[in-house]
Every structure is written in structure tokens, then in C-alpha cells.
Amino acid sequence: MNRKTLVLPAVAGLLAPVLAACGGSDSGSKSGDAIVVGTTDRFTVTSDAPAPLDPAYAYDVGTWNILRQTVQTLLTQPKGEGVPVPEAAESCSFTDSGNERYACKLREGLKFANGDAVTAADVKFSIERALHINADSGVATLLNTIDTVETQGEREVIFHLKTADATFPYKLSTPVAGIVNPKNYDKRKLRDGFEVDGSGPYTFKAEVEDNAIVSATFAKNPSYKGSVEVKNDEVVMRAFRNAKLMGEAIDKGDIDVMTRAMSPAQIDKLDAGSDANVDLVDMPGLEIRYLAFNTNASTVKSKAVRQAMAQVINRGELVSKVYGTQAEPLYSLVPATLTGHSNSFFNKYGDPSAAKAKNLLAKAGISTPVKLTLHYTTDHYGSATKQEFEILQKQLNGSGLFDVSIQGHPWATFRPAEKKGDYDVYGMGWFPDFPDADNFLAPFLDKGNFLGSPYSNGTIRRTLIPESRREADRLNAAKSLTEIQDIVAEDVPVLPLWQGKQYVAARDNITGVSYALNSSSTLQLWELSRGVSG
């Protein structure tokens, strides 16, 4: 039986129900017992990014989804939703009332895949390594509240923080805090290429052509000790150039599971039950898309230009024409489903209005039309990105206030150029490191932010972010978080566009698909298995 499998939205602290796909057992991949997963994520080595899989460098959803299978962290995000739970650790907790001292005790008998013991010293090495290297990806900023790391014996690690940080347990569940073996990772430099070694659920081996991964094998790690139950022996991930080729592969049974990024048309087709052997699973997601600005660039240095763009862009039209019911308009960096969300952009700008935008530009003495180029990546966020930018171009030019052109670039060149400040305006997506409003604000606005943005607001950095992190009860952080969002709506260093759902498609003899992704878009390959349910 073909049907759409829906995981209902989960509230933090609650566990989403498991709804498994149902159907016959006469379908499946042509790769033996290994479960084959397709993706359009691109994993490449370039001169600008020679170490894409080093935990001290990696900072995008695709590379993190490789590391989460292979490199163990002290904590991990639970199967459903809620606060992080112990993984390499046996236990972790704040040991003071001020959320400034955090202690973890490792599980007994932990080993790296090569048989070496995992010790507290290895944890200390790994964390200090990421901070010391401080890669230009910006990932080390997740650990920037750490002052010192202390060990006591072989199994105890104590983190002394510079300031209170109630989100710190979430940060220890991210790959930048992954535990690596000092034998394989130099403390002073990144590990180039596609080798990954850790103590996670799987070992990893990549098949590479032209400096890009075309296929990767995740084999069950017999030495693994942790909180997850690995339900398969081997998963093969295949990288496709586009969603069309990935869709053809699942139709033919060459792959078992199809992950990000399917095209909107593919999702609609599967949702309608077009394939009796393939089921579509949708689940709540926290993915957002936004425009970012190099606020030092002459074209957008005046916030009036950025405000005028915020006043003109019609999110509702954009979403309906490109993504339909697969996305929703977003009026803040913080998704509507998270505690602390505020509709700050709608509160300030209301409905789209060219007349209001014209007044903003006139008051600032900006001549029109304002000439801009919007840059986007052609191969990282899905095949609909070009259409999205064509509509943005039409909306802005249709106001008579802008003269916009658009340019697409492959991710391998787009991301380094963005970090260097080569683009005045560019489109980005964000898959959260962890499901908390802080992670939709600090990475864009704090010192050393991952965009490399020159925008700096002292009130946000010195007062509001620290205030919000002092609150273990995140409801109590709402006031500070709302103030941050209101400042962003006023200054527009970034312009939020939409929030999306997430989807996985699987042939009907694959179970565990409902947990293949969590709300932070973390791929959990260990949940997949072969079988029949229904």
C-alpha cells in the first residue's frame, strides 16, 4: 500500500510518534543487503576548502550528516525532540547554579574504531583543537563560551565557561565537539581530504572521482558504545548531480531512500501516490532561507536599501509559486515553531508596498533604480533555487525601484566567495545546529559569525545574546530574543524569506524512515532497516 507517512510536529521535550511505511516486500535496491541512500549534497575538495570532513572545519548540513554517523560527541539530540542526552558520555550536567561549569563522565570502555581507548584527554584535545584552529568556516564559534577544559582521571571532563550558557549542552551535541583521535588529527592543522576516523556508530569509506565523493560506505562499527541502536550493518550513500537523476534511481530500485534535496515537483508527485512502491514521509523541519548582505558593500551599505527590499519582497507569492504547501513565509530568522519566535519583519513592514519602499529610499537620498546582483548557489539547496531567485528578481524590478540581475554558482565556489565578501547580496539556507532560537541568531550576528558578515551590533553581542543564554528556561529568554529580532528587522543585515518542511522518500520495504531525519535535519542512518510493516 502506498501512502503518505506523516510525523506530527513535536514539541520540545515530547517524543514524536513512529509511523512506519507499509507495503509489500518485492521492492528494494540492487546493492545487496546494504541500504542505499541518495542525496544531491555535493562533497568536494577544493583549494579553498581542502578539509571538508574535518570536525574543526565542517559547517554545513551535508558534511555534518557524515560526521554524525562516524564521530562521536559527548551528547546527542534524542530520537524525537527535547534536550540532548548522553552519547559518548555516561552523564553530563551543570554543577553550579550559574550555568558556567559543565561536567561530563565518559562511558566505560569507549574505543575508537581502530581499537584505541577514548579518554577524557581525547575530548580535551578535540575541543581545544577546534578552538585553536578556528577555521574560517566559523564553526568554532559554537564553542566560544568555553574558557578552559579540565580533565580528572581517564573519564571525567569539566568545561569552565566564560559566561553562563544554557545552550551549551546542545553545542556539545554538534560535530565540532566530535571526539577525534590525536593519532589521526594534528592539533595545529586541518586534516585534508575525505578520511574520517572516530568512535561513532559507523566507519566511513569514500569513493572519490574528480575531487568529489560519488559514493560513501558506512559500515557498522563493532567497537561502538553509545546511546543509539544501530539497526543495519551497512549503508551506502550515493551523491547525484541533481534531483531528477536521484528520482530515476529510486524508481528503478537502484537506491532505497531519497533524502535532500528533492524538487517540489517530485514531492508533489509522490504525495499524490504516483508510485506504488515508494512512500513519502514528511516531518516538521527548521530549515530557513534568507538573503544575506555584505553591509560594507557600497550598493547595500545604506540600510535604507536593505529596508526597501524587505518592504517590497512578497514572501507569500514567492512560496506559493515555488514551494506551495512545502514551505511557509518567514518574518524572522527564528522559525515560527520555536520558543522565542517573533514576527518582527511583519510587525515593522506589514504587507509588501512599493510606495513605502520608495519613501524609505527617498528619505535616505538613494537614487533609483538601485542596481544589484543577487547571487545564489546552483547545487546546494535544491533545484528550485533558480526559480526562487527569478521571482525575487521579478518582484524587486517590478517595483520600479531596483534593477536586479541574478547569478548562480556551484557551492564549491559560492561558499568561499561569500566568506571573502565577494557578493553584495546572496541567498543562503540554514539548517540548525540545534533546535533553539539562539542558534538562529548568534551564528549570524555574533563575533566571528559563519557568514563572515561585517555587521556588528554591540547591544546584541554584549548584552542580549549573553542575557538570553543565562536562562535555562527558554521561555524566560523570550524578551531578549525578541529584542534581537526587532533590531535585525530594523537594520536588515539578513532578510528571512521562508521556512520549510523536510521530506524523505523510501521504497516500501524500508522501515525506520520516520526517524531518518530529526527537526534539525540530522540524518540518522542507524534508524533504517529492511522489513515489512503495516
XYZ file of all heavy atoms in Angstrom, residues 424-471:
388
model
N 27.617 41.143 -2.805
C 26.914 42.176 -2.026
C 25.630 41.619 -1.423
O 25.297 41.912 -0.276
C 26.579 43.379 -2.915
C 27.815 44.096 -3.425
O 28.937 43.641 -3.106
O 27.662 45.099 -4.155
N 24.916 40.822 -2.223
C 23.666 40.200 -1.771
C 23.673 38.752 -2.242
O 23.982 38.482 -3.408
C 22.423 40.912 -2.360
C 21.153 40.395 -1.675
C 22.525 42.422 -2.245
N 23.330 37.831 -1.366
C 23.386 36.424 -1.747
C 22.375 35.618 -0.929
O 21.991 35.990 0.180
C 24.795 35.855 -1.546
C 25.394 36.087 -0.177
C 25.348 35.093 0.795
C 25.993 37.297 0.136
C 25.889 35.296 2.043
C 26.543 37.520 1.389
C 26.487 36.509 2.343
O 27.026 36.723 3.592
N 21.948 34.515 -1.512
C 20.954 33.663 -0.874
C 21.600 32.514 -0.132
O 22.504 31.861 -0.651
N 21.115 32.281 1.074
C 21.645 31.192 1.890
C 20.499 30.428 2.548
O 19.377 30.930 2.663
C 22.569 31.740 2.993
C 23.881 32.308 2.488
S 25.065 31.026 1.986
C 25.612 30.421 3.581
N 20.801 29.221 2.969
C 19.875 28.432 3.777
C 20.517 28.129 5.105
O 21.737 28.230 5.265
N 19.722 27.774 6.084
C 20.250 27.429 7.398
C 19.501 26.223 7.930
O 18.278 26.218 8.022
C 20.096 28.615 8.348
C 20.645 28.385 9.733
C 19.935 28.248 10.892
C 22.020 28.277 10.108
N 20.777 28.059 11.958
C 22.072 28.073 11.511
C 23.222 28.317 9.394
C 23.272 27.918 12.206
C 24.414 28.163 10.087
C 24.433 27.975 11.471
N 20.261 25.189 8.222
C 19.752 24.017 8.916
C 20.361 24.086 10.310
O 21.584 24.097 10.446
C 20.185 22.740 8.205
C 19.670 22.629 6.799
C 20.339 23.237 5.742
C 18.509 21.913 6.526
C 19.878 23.134 4.444
C 18.037 21.802 5.216
C 18.715 22.411 4.184
N 19.560 24.149 11.347
C 20.106 24.481 12.658
C 21.076 23.447 13.210
O 20.942 22.254 12.953
C 18.856 24.579 13.542
C 17.854 23.698 12.875
C 18.110 23.873 11.408
N 22.024 23.958 13.983
C 22.932 23.082 14.711
C 22.185 22.373 15.834
O 22.493 21.239 16.182
C 24.083 23.885 15.303
C 24.753 24.775 14.282
O 24.868 24.338 13.124
O 25.150 25.898 14.625
N 21.213 23.071 16.395
C 20.367 22.509 17.449
C 19.084 23.338 17.513
O 19.058 24.498 17.103
C 21.078 22.487 18.812
C 21.684 23.803 19.222
C 20.934 24.755 19.899
C 23.020 24.086 18.942
C 21.497 25.958 20.288
C 23.590 25.293 19.327
C 22.827 26.230 20.002
N 17.976 22.738 18.006
C 16.676 23.409 17.934
C 16.430 24.402 19.052
O 15.639 24.170 19.967
C 15.695 22.221 18.005
C 16.410 21.204 18.826
C 17.866 21.336 18.472
N 17.103 25.540 18.988
C 16.920 26.615 19.961
C 17.052 27.934 19.220
O 17.856 28.059 18.284
C 17.968 26.516 21.067
C 17.730 27.516 22.191
O 18.173 28.672 22.080
O 17.079 27.131 23.182
N 16.272 28.938 19.648
C 16.292 30.237 18.958
C 17.687 30.843 18.899
O 18.034 31.535 17.934
C 15.327 31.195 19.658
N 18.502 30.595 19.908
C 19.870 31.124 19.925
C 20.630 30.727 18.675
O 21.430 31.508 18.143
C 20.601 30.609 21.171
C 22.054 31.027 21.225
O 22.332 32.118 21.752
O 22.928 30.269 20.738
N 20.372 29.518 18.175
C 21.117 29.024 17.040
C 20.640 29.594 15.704
O 21.216 29.329 14.658
C 21.079 27.497 16.992
C 22.074 26.903 16.021
O 21.705 26.208 15.086
N 23.351 27.205 16.212
N 19.590 30.399 15.724
C 19.155 31.120 14.532
C 19.523 32.600 14.611
O 19.180 33.373 13.713
C 17.641 30.979 14.362
C 17.221 29.603 13.927
C 16.980 28.619 14.867
C 17.084 29.287 12.581
C 16.593 27.343 14.483
C 16.704 28.013 12.189
C 16.463 27.042 13.142
N 20.223 32.978 15.674
C 20.589 34.377 15.861
C 22.106 34.544 16.009
O 22.740 35.229 15.209
C 19.861 34.945 17.087
C 18.330 34.963 16.975
C 17.694 35.323 18.314
C 17.878 35.926 15.888
N 22.688 33.901 17.013
C 24.114 34.074 17.272
C 25.009 33.719 16.078
O 25.971 34.440 15.799
C 24.518 33.269 18.505
N 24.738 32.621 15.320
C 25.623 32.302 14.194
C 25.674 33.378 13.110
O 26.622 33.424 12.324
C 25.027 31.002 13.642
C 24.316 30.393 14.800
C 23.735 31.562 15.533
N 24.658 34.245 13.058
C 24.612 35.302 12.049
C 25.070 36.655 12.594
O 25.461 37.535 11.832
C 23.183 35.468 11.528
C 22.562 34.206 11.027
C 21.775 33.428 11.854
C 22.784 33.761 9.740
C 21.210 32.247 11.412
C 22.227 32.583 9.282
C 21.437 31.817 10.124
N 25.005 36.814 13.917
C 25.143 38.152 14.500
C 26.295 38.296 15.481
O 26.720 39.411 15.771
C 23.839 38.525 15.228
C 22.564 38.442 14.388
C 21.339 38.584 15.283
C 22.558 39.505 13.294
N 26.821 37.191 15.984
C 27.877 37.255 16.985
C 29.232 37.469 16.311
O 29.369 37.352 15.085
C 27.890 35.959 17.799
C 28.345 36.188 19.236
O 28.823 37.295 19.538
O 28.205 35.255 20.057
N 30.209 37.767 17.118
C 31.569 37.922 16.613
C 32.030 36.611 15.993
O 31.778 35.535 16.525
C 32.505 38.322 17.758
C 33.931 38.590 17.326
C 34.785 39.010 18.521
C 36.229 39.267 18.100
N 37.077 39.652 19.256
N 32.717 36.703 14.847
C 33.188 35.503 14.171
C 32.075 34.686 13.562
O 32.204 33.478 13.389
N 30.971 35.339 13.174
C 29.813 34.621 12.634
C 30.172 33.862 11.363
O 31.107 34.222 10.655
C 28.647 35.581 12.383
C 28.973 36.632 11.349
O 28.934 36.393 10.156
N 29.324 37.821 11.832
N 29.404 32.824 11.074
C 29.785 31.906 9.999
C 29.646 32.529 8.613
O 30.225 32.046 7.649
C 28.975 30.601 10.109
C 27.764 30.532 9.238
C 27.757 29.752 8.097
C 26.613 31.254 9.542
C 26.642 29.677 7.289
C 25.497 31.186 8.746
C 25.502 30.391 7.610
N 28.889 33.607 8.492
C 28.783 34.292 7.205
C 30.006 35.158 6.926
O 30.235 35.568 5.791
C 27.537 35.184 7.187
C 26.174 34.498 7.136
C 25.060 35.536 7.265
C 26.002 33.690 5.866
N 30.762 35.463 7.974
C 31.834 36.445 7.824
C 31.280 37.834 7.631
O 31.924 38.711 7.048
N 30.075 38.074 8.128
C 29.394 39.353 7.924
C 30.075 40.468 8.702
O 30.413 40.299 9.882
C 27.933 39.244 8.383
O 27.317 40.520 8.393
N 30.261 41.634 8.077
C 30.847 42.763 8.799
C 29.863 43.465 9.730
O 30.261 44.325 10.513
C 31.279 43.707 7.664
C 30.342 43.412 6.538
C 30.057 41.934 6.640
N 28.595 43.097 9.656
C 27.590 43.740 10.504
C 27.883 43.444 11.972
O 28.109 42.302 12.362
C 26.190 43.239 10.149
C 25.109 43.732 11.096
C 24.619 45.030 11.000
C 24.596 42.901 12.092
C 23.635 45.492 11.861
C 23.606 43.346 12.957
C 23.134 44.645 12.844
O 22.159 45.093 13.710
N 27.862 44.480 12.788
C 28.138 44.319 14.214
C 27.226 45.243 15.000
O 27.190 46.452 14.757
C 29.607 44.647 14.517
O 29.857 44.599 15.903
N 26.493 44.674 15.942
C 25.636 45.455 16.823
C 26.040 45.148 18.263
O 25.890 44.030 18.738
C 24.169 45.097 16.587
C 23.232 45.947 17.422
O 23.112 45.756 18.624
N 22.560 46.895 16.777
N 26.572 46.156 18.949
C 27.096 45.966 20.293
C 26.046 45.520 21.291
O 26.326 44.714 22.187
N 24.837 46.040 21.171
C 23.771 45.648 22.102
C 23.457 44.169 21.976
O 23.259 43.465 22.974
C 22.499 46.480 21.839
O 22.803 47.868 22.004
C 21.381 46.091 22.794
N 23.407 43.694 20.736
C 23.139 42.270 20.519
C 24.274 41.421 21.080
O 24.037 40.455 21.827
C 22.944 41.974 19.021
C 21.627 42.570 18.517
C 22.974 40.466 18.760
C 21.404 42.405 17.026
N 25.515 41.770 20.737
C 26.646 40.926 21.097
C 26.975 40.974 22.591
O 27.236 39.937 23.205
C 27.878 41.321 20.282
C 27.761 40.987 18.811
C 29.052 41.278 18.069
N 28.934 40.926 16.656
C 29.917 41.055 15.774
N 31.094 41.523 16.161
N 29.717 40.722 14.500
N 26.977 42.162 23.158
C 27.451 42.298 24.538
C 26.357 42.129 25.582
O 26.646 41.809 26.740
C 28.128 43.656 24.717
C 29.422 43.793 23.944
C 30.183 45.030 24.361
N 29.461 46.264 24.011
C 29.613 46.915 22.869
N 30.440 46.451 21.948
N 28.936 48.024 22.627
N 25.104 42.351 25.192
C 24.031 42.336 26.186
C 22.983 41.257 25.923
O 22.735 40.389 26.760
C 23.333 43.713 26.247
O 24.306 44.721 26.545
C 22.256 43.721 27.316
N 22.367 41.300 24.742
C 21.180 40.475 24.521
C 21.486 38.989 24.364
O 20.776 38.141 24.922
C 20.403 41.004 23.312
C 19.838 42.415 23.488
C 19.187 42.900 22.196
C 18.820 42.451 24.632
N 22.525 38.634 23.588
C 22.879 37.217 23.462
C 23.294 36.644 24.815
O 22.779 35.587 25.224
C 23.967 37.004 22.389
C 23.387 37.231 20.987
C 24.550 35.593 22.488
C 24.400 37.120 19.866
N 24.196 37.299 25.562
C 24.527 36.768 26.895
C 23.325 36.681 27.828
O 23.194 35.709 28.588
C 25.565 37.763 27.428
C 26.183 38.351 26.202
C 25.061 38.443 25.209
N 22.425 37.664 27.788
C 21.226 37.621 28.626
C 20.385 36.396 28.313
O 19.920 35.688 29.212
C 20.378 38.881 28.408
C 20.798 40.079 29.215
C 19.873 41.269 28.990
O 18.880 41.135 28.234
O 20.147 42.338 29.565
N 20.179 36.153 27.037
C 19.321 35.027 26.650
C 19.926 33.694 27.059
O 19.212 32.746 27.392
C 19.064 35.053 25.136
O 20.227 34.690 24.411
N 21.258 33.604 27.046
C 21.918 32.341 27.373
C 21.945 32.054 28.872
O 22.232 30.931 29.279
C 23.342 32.341 26.819
C 23.382 32.209 25.305
C 24.788 32.355 24.760
N 24.832 32.083 23.322
C 25.892 32.308 22.555
N 27.009 32.807 23.096
N 25.851 32.046 21.268
N 21.658 33.048 29.670
C 21.620 32.814 31.117
C 20.356 32.087 31.547
O 20.268 31.576 32.666
C 21.735 34.142 31.871
C 23.161 34.667 31.960
C 23.288 35.749 33.009
N 22.746 37.010 32.556
C 23.444 37.946 31.912
N 24.722 37.728 31.645
N 22.883 39.083 31.550
N 19.361 32.037 30.667
C 18.056 31.480 31.025
C 17.950 30.006 30.633
O 17.825 29.668 29.465
C 16.933 32.271 30.355
C 16.910 33.751 30.726
C 16.535 33.970 32.178
O 16.063 33.020 32.839
O 16.724 35.106 32.669
